[in-house]
Amino acid sequence: MNTEYLFARKILTLGKTIIANRNDNLRNINLTAEQADALIYFVENPGSSIRNLSNYLSITHQTASGIVKRLCEKEALSMTPSTKDGRCSVVHLTDLGNDLITQVKQNGTHTGAKILSGMSADEKEQFEHLLDLALANIVKQKG
């Protein structure tokens, strides 16, 4: 088997394992990894729409809409009509959503610590550099 294929499989396995780990850790606050990512997006990008979330996460509008709908049902998000475009709604974090962000960030720290455990400071720096390079390469070839 060629090296490129093996690397791609290992990266895919790492990604799936990270998502599973995040989902396990988020289960106690009744969130999925996708919902947590949406909350983080809306706290970092106030006044954004479902379309903005869709573009940011590279998911369909329908999927983003479903995530936002479930977070609204959980009372973590609310939506109001946009003052700029009446066809669009602006998504806001509620007080509960803001409370959940703290727990979501703790989860991310926990998962990140697991990934980096056993690496020296130099290895962590090199790992970050290589991840950035790999991401840049795949984005460059996608476009």
Side-chain angles (χ1 to χ4, degrees):
M1 229 173 270
N2 69 26
T3 305
E4 291 83 2
Y5 176 79
L6 291 176
F7 273 111
R9 294 297 311 158
K10 284 183 181 187
I11 292 167
L12 184 60
T13 300
L14 177 62
K16 288 178 179 181
T17 304
I18 289 169
I19 291 168
N21 185 293
R22 289 182 67 212
N23 281 328
D24 285 345
N25 292 330
L26 290 164
R27 191 169 289 121
N28 64 339
I29 58 171
N30 196 29
L31 291 177
T32 65
E34 282 185 327
Q35 291 170 347
D37 290 341
L39 287 176
I40 291 169
Y41 175 78
F42 288 118
V43 81
E44 292 176 351
N45 299 279
S48 293
S49 67
I50 292 173
R51 173 65 58 204
N52 299 136
L53 176 67
S54 168
N55 292 337
Y56 178 77
L57 293 178
S58 299
I59 57 178
T60 66
H61 182 77
Q62 182 177 2
T63 299
S65 182
I67 292 168
V68 169
K69 178 183 176 204
R70 285 184 288 286
L71 287 169
C72 286
E73 289 168 355
K74 293 178 183 188
E75 299 182 357
L77 294 177
S78 65
M79 297 192 331
T80 58
S82 170
T83 57
K84 297 177 185 172
D85 183 350
R87 299 168 295 170
C88 179
S89 292
V90 177
V91 181
H92 306 278
L93 264 79
T94 63
D95 290 340
L96 174 62
N98 281 311
D99 291 343
L100 289 171
I101 284 295
T102 302
Q103 295 172 334
V104 165
K105 288 183 178 178
Q106 287 172 347
N107 171 269
T109 300
H110 175 72
T111 301
K114 274 186 169 180
I115 293 167
L116 299 175
S117 68
M119 289 187 197
S120 69
D122 287 343
E123 288 169 332
K124 290 175 186 177
E125 189 176 316
Q126 184 179 18
F127 185 60
E128 180 181 15
H129 170 73
L130 293 172
L131 286 173
D132 289 343
L133 181 59
L135 286 168
N137 286 342
I138 200 102
V139 168
K140 180 173 43 176
Q141 297 201 7
K142 185 178 177 184

